[in-house]
Amino acid sequence: MKEPLIFDLSRNGRKGYSFSPLDIPGRPAEQLLPSRFLRKEPPALPEVPESEVVRHFVRLSNLNYHVDKNMYPLGSCTMKYNPKINDYTADLPGFAALHPMQPETTVQGALQMMYELSGMLSEIAGMADVTLQPAAGAHGELTGILLIKKYHEKLGRPRKKLLVVDSAHGTNPASAALGGYHTVSVSSNTLGRTDLEDLRSKLDDDVAALMLTNPNTVGLFETEIRTIAKMVHDNGSLLYMDGANMNALLGLTRPGDMGFDVVHYNLHKSFSAPHGGGGPGSGPVGVSERLVEFLPTPIVEKYEKNGKTGYRLNSARPDSIGRMLNFYGNFSVLVRAYTYIRMLGAEGLLRVSENAIINANYLLSRLLDHFALPYPKPVMHEFCLSGDRQKKAHNVRTLDIAKRLLDFGYHAPTVYFPLIVSEALMIEPTETETRETLDNFADALIAIAAEAENDPEKVLAAPVTTPVRRLDEAQASRQLNICCTL
Ligand SMILES: *Cc1c(COP(=O)(O)O)cnc(C)c1O
């Protein structure tokens, strides 16, 4: 279906508004504004009645793919369903109508919510304290890296290198570079986990920290995490966890107990704030005892005075790395995460992770016979398949499979990531999908695998049902390169 531009729907004089006449006596509009601000010609705005404006935008929203429409199997991104009650609480006037410059005494409820959320996140990950300031996962990484840097500087032995495992999310090495570090890549082994020998060979006294994702981006738990933590700490280095995908661990185990010194969370993934399209997100950072003094300011504190409890913002922390964001973080995302955690409680959070893991393993079991699996199962909350079999036999690439899924009414999984898996198809069903939805999605992928074998042209021509057919990927990437060089 093609949707015309709103300008094409416009008809002269068919306007969708009616204003009262200007009622400042004796003052035509021309006199109210300095003449240099007045337009010569009225702006060429479309003239469309309200009913048609609403229908136009509803039709456009239907062309879009979103998690309220169907499953969104984007590995690593945790596109789970976001309960609507989160939006209700974030919209309460007591939260939504606050101004960030209001005096502390008038925002006690908001400060209490932040204080409690950071306490709950500390408990969930087993960390000593949590800052809510960072605006996204990558911003949390940068914050964590600056904390690590300050720690080594204060000890009087600044270090230059950060180790990052080769399966890591691209933001890890990017944040390391932003933090002024030289990145050294550590290999994965044949089981998809950190190669301890390679790690040992790279741990020298210039290594500030190791950045790890656990479970890692192929959905596997780092079973030797205690050994890794000991190796890293014995070297005087710190251990960073990319905790963007905490929904595999909630209530089951805690990064703090594994020996991590820093962890960032993605509230807009694991704690159910809508995301995609550029924001807003929230990437709080949890730290172990030795990094608390460096956390960004201001810190929300609780105090007792004359038998009454109050909350205040404390900026008097001499060793703090300073501010990471204006004001106090993306507040509405914090309200959503707070609501989500309070609605579920400890028991509910545990069920989240159990179901995320069961769903991933169930879906994987249905697909095992049809696609190559690069590393042995079982997996945690997501898994990574390879399209190698289809590519070798029929020259159908993962890209083609992803395009064909659009015809079946699904968003594509993450493709070609992580980089250690060739023709990677990375799938995260999340805990919010029913067995029927998982079965339907598996049926679609299995049907595509059969098409790749019997009618590869069909897959190569996909998508055929979308408003825009296949783009010229080669040209698109050339243009992208031009944009990046500019
Ligand atoms: C999403 C993600 C990030 C980055 O988070 P943003 O909020 O997009 O900056 C980092 N690491 C992993 C593993 C992720 O899945």
Side-chain angles (χ1 to χ4, degrees):
M1 187 189 72
K2 284 245 185 325
E3 180 63 26
L5 297 178
I6 194 144
F7 290 92
D8 298 331
L9 298 175
S10 174
R11 296 291 176 273
N12 278 347
R14 198 182 278 168
K15 49 186 191 190
Y17 65 89
S18 61
F19 287 139
S20 331
L22 201 61
D23 60 353
I24 304 176
R27 300 290 303 271
E30 294 72 37
Q31 288 176 16
L32 289 171
L33 288 173
S35 62
R36 66 180 189 282
F37 294 133
L38 291 176
R39 292 173 202 269
K40 310 258 168 325
E41 297 286 326
L45 295 176
E47 297 188 275
V48 185
E50 180 178 322
S51 53
E52 291 305 320
V53 173
V54 170
R55 288 174 185 160
H56 172 70
F57 284 106
V58 168
R59 286 193 298 265
L60 282 181
S61 76
N62 283 332
L63 291 180
N64 202 359
Y65 196 93
H66 45 91
V67 77
D68 285 349
K69 194 162 160 177
N70 204 356
M71 174 185 179
Y72 209 127
L74 205 56
S76 194
C77 293
T78 310
M79 302 297 281
K80 65 166 88 170
Y81 171 77
N82 307 297
K84 298 302 168 226
I85 187 152
N86 297 353
D87 300 325
Y88 168 78
T89 51
D91 245 9
L92 290 172
F95 285 138
L98 294 181
H99 192 284
M101 308 262 278
Q102 272 178 241
E104 260 166 40
T105 50
T106 68
V107 293
Q108 287 292 301
L111 294 180
Q112 180 179 356
M113 186 281 291
M114 291 170 73
Y115 180 85
E116 288 179 9
L117 177 60
S118 107
M120 294 188 299
L121 291 173
S122 302
E123 177 63 28
I124 284 170
M127 308 307 282
D129 205 352
V130 166
T131 171
L132 302 173
Q133 248 178 50
H139 196 209
E141 291 170 26
L142 177 63
T143 305
I145 287 168
L146 295 178
L147 294 168
I148 290 170
K149 197 172 190 176
K150 189 90 188 208
Y151 166 82
H152 288 296
E153 276 170 13
K154 188 148 187 229
L155 289 179
R157 42 160 209 208
R159 298 177 170 213
K160 294 197 188 69
K161 293 191 234 168
L162 277 186
L163 303 187
V164 180
V165 181
D166 59 6
S167 61
H169 196 273
T171 48
N172 290 189
S175 303
L178 267 181
Y181 280 103
H182 177 61
T183 310
V184 178
S185 179
V186 177
S187 321
S188 310
N189 60 24
T190 49
L191 296 174
R193 298 184 172 86
T194 307
D195 185 317
L196 295 199
E197 279 321 301
D198 194 50
L199 173 61
R200 188 163 293 132
S201 74
K202 286 169 180 165
L203 270 174
D204 59 30
D205 56 13
D206 228 2
V207 171
L210 166 68
M211 292 182 90
L212 263 192
T213 311
N214 198 17
N216 65 23
T217 52
V218 287
L220 298 172
F221 192 79
E222 291 283 355
T223 41
E224 306 212 60
I225 187 61
R226 294 266 190 151
T227 314
I228 294 174
K230 183 160 188 331
M231 283 166 69
V232 169
H233 288 144
D234 285 350
N235 191 55
S237 316
L238 298 181
L239 192 57
Y240 183 107
M241 176 158 134
D242 180 337
N245 306 136
M246 278 293 289
N247 54 328
L249 303 180
L250 302 173
L252 291 171
T253 181
R254 308 191 306 170
D257 302 338
M258 300 176 208
F260 283 96
D261 299 287
V262 194
V263 55
H264 85 258
Y265 315 71
N266 272 37
L267 297 189
H268 49 292
K269 291 179 181 169
S270 322
F271 297 94
S272 87
H275 63 116
S282 177
V285 173
V287 292
S288 61
E289 211 54 72
R290 58 180 129 189
L291 292 175
V292 170
E293 59 186 305
F294 309 118
L295 284 174
T297 49
I299 306 261
V300 184
E301 286 177 353
K302 185 176 178 176
Y303 66 90
E304 305 281 337
K305 201 170 152 192
N306 307 332
K308 275 195 171 162
T309 303
Y311 298 87
R312 66 177 165 230
L313 292 162
N314 181 2
S315 293
R317 309 260 291 213
D319 283 326
S320 161
I321 58 167
R323 254 186 199 283
M324 290 304 293
L325 196 74
N326 274 346
F327 303 119
Y328 316 112
N330 278 332
F331 185 77
S332 79
V333 183
L334 305 182
V335 182
R336 287 181 172 86
Y338 179 83
T339 308
Y340 182 71
I341 295 172
R342 292 292 305 266
M343 289 297 293
L344 286 170
E347 193 54 35
L349 289 177
L350 173 64
R351 296 294 300 279
V352 162
S353 288
E354 286 174 349
N355 285 327
I357 296 168
I358 290 169
N359 273 3
N361 282 285
Y362 175 71
L363 188 55
L364 174 58
S365 73
R366 289 232 31 216
L367 297 172
L368 263 184
D369 292 341
H370 308 273
F371 296 89
L373 179 70
Y375 303 111
K377 57 184 186 105
V379 294
M380 296 289 279
H381 64 302
E382 66 187 358
F383 56 89
C384 193
L385 299 170
S386 162
D388 264 352
R389 205 184 287 171
Q390 284 74 15
K391 186 176 172 192
K392 286 207 185 92
H394 316 287
N395 210 19
V396 169
R397 296 165 305 159
T398 282
L399 181 78
D400 306 312
I401 295 170
K403 299 278 185 201
R404 185 67 179 137
L405 261 177
L406 309 182
D407 285 336
F408 282 80
Y410 291 99
H411 194 281
T414 299
V415 294
Y416 298 99
F417 173 78
L419 306 177
I420 54 170
V421 174
S422 70
E423 297 294 318
L425 262 168
M426 190 187 177
I427 298 173
E428 179 180 2
T430 83
E431 72 279 4
T432 56
E433 302 308 328
T434 61
R435 177 169 174 178
E436 289 74 22
T437 306
L438 298 181
D439 278 332
N440 291 339
F441 178 70
D443 290 344
L445 265 177
I446 294 168
I448 296 170
E451 284 178 356
E453 212 161 305
N454 307 320
D455 191 2
E457 288 308 317
K458 198 170 199 167
V459 186
L460 296 177
V464 293
T465 59
T466 47
V468 176
R469 299 274 307 263
R470 188 176 294 220
L471 302 172
D472 179 346
E473 305 281 341
Q475 194 196 351
S477 66
R478 274 198 301 279
Q479 278 170 355
L480 207 64
N481 276 335
I482 295 169
C483 293
C484 296
T485 8
L486 287 178

